[in-house]
Amino acid sequence: MNRNSTVQNIVDSIRSDIRQNYRPGSLLPNERQIAERFGVGRNTVREALIHLEAFGLIEKTQRGPRVCAPNVAAVFHVMDQYFDRSLKTCQDLLDFRRMIDIGVLQGVVENITDADIAALEEQVRRMGDALTAHEAALADYAFHSEIIRISGNGVLAKLYKVLEHTLVFYMEIGKSGNGARTSAQHGAILEALRQRSLRAARQAFDEHYGYSEANLLSAYRKDQGQDATTEAI
């Protein structure tokens, strides 16, 4: 059995042990004891523990590895580093955001309060006042993050928070010179939510994402020195 398979088997076994036999705060056996159990060297055990720590399942202490409380954010931290900056990834993330926003709308319409409306209004104001594309992207991210928070879906809220850096990067693409229209589109979403209209909110989101996709394609064509009217591939 190769080293990678050995490490993965140890990781899988310890994960199973944690689910069945340990609670957050409990100490696992030390490196020597784990090495003896699996008949491997301590370097192999250390590598397995690094994997478990990366996924937020354990933390290292002077007394040995300690079980952590479940934290879905740690998993997404591992995922975030694998996103590239290609047009395909930009389009995939745009679709990802579209599916999330449309998917949580029912809960948003049911849960939204006047205080939530005020929080969304503040982000629309920030978008309108933004002096740079980055400032506008930060406000854009905050607006959509608020939408997810209002929906009450805790897992999506953590996912969105962990991916903040990546999402802001992609939101910034294509924003130059389009601040007024972007702000107006978010204002239309806000108005639909103020009316607690699921149908109007879906329509506003559809228009917003259609416009965002067109901006994305235009920005990439310009970056590659193509004419803005060139047909998209």
Side-chain angles (χ1 to χ4, degrees), residues 38-50:
F38 291 99
V40 298
R42 294 179 68 170
N43 285 339
T44 302
V45 172
R46 291 191 187 103
E47 189 173 342
L49 294 178
I50 288 172

Side-chain angles (χ1 to χ4, degrees), residues 32-105:
R32 177 184 58 80
Q33 293 170 320
I34 295 173
E36 291 176 352
R37 172 187 171 186
F38 291 99
V40 298
R42 294 179 68 170
N43 285 339
T44 302
V45 172
R46 291 191 187 103
E47 189 173 342
L49 294 178
I50 288 172
H51 282 277
L52 292 166
E53 188 174 28
F55 280 93
L57 296 175
I58 66 168
E59 60 182 351
K60 295 177 182 177
T61 73
Q62 292 184 343
R63 298 173 59 194
R66 181 168 57 196
V67 176
C68 295
N71 182 9
V72 70
V75 179
F76 297 126
H77 272 303
V78 174
M79 292 168 50
D80 184 55
Q81 63 182 306
Y82 296 108
F83 289 115
D84 61 30
R85 299 301 188 248
S86 67
L87 174 59
K88 178 63 166 60
T89 298
C90 283
Q91 291 173 316
D92 286 348
L93 276 175
L94 194 64
D95 285 342
F96 165 79
R97 291 178 49 218
R98 188 202 315 260
M99 286 185 285
I100 287 180
D101 281 335
I102 299 298
V104 301
L105 268 183

Side-chain angles (χ1 to χ4, degrees), residues 127-128 175 177-186 211:
M127 269 182 265
K175 281 194 179 298
N178 298 295
R181 185 163 179 182
T182 300
S183 179
Q185 288 183 340
H186 284 82
Y211 177 71

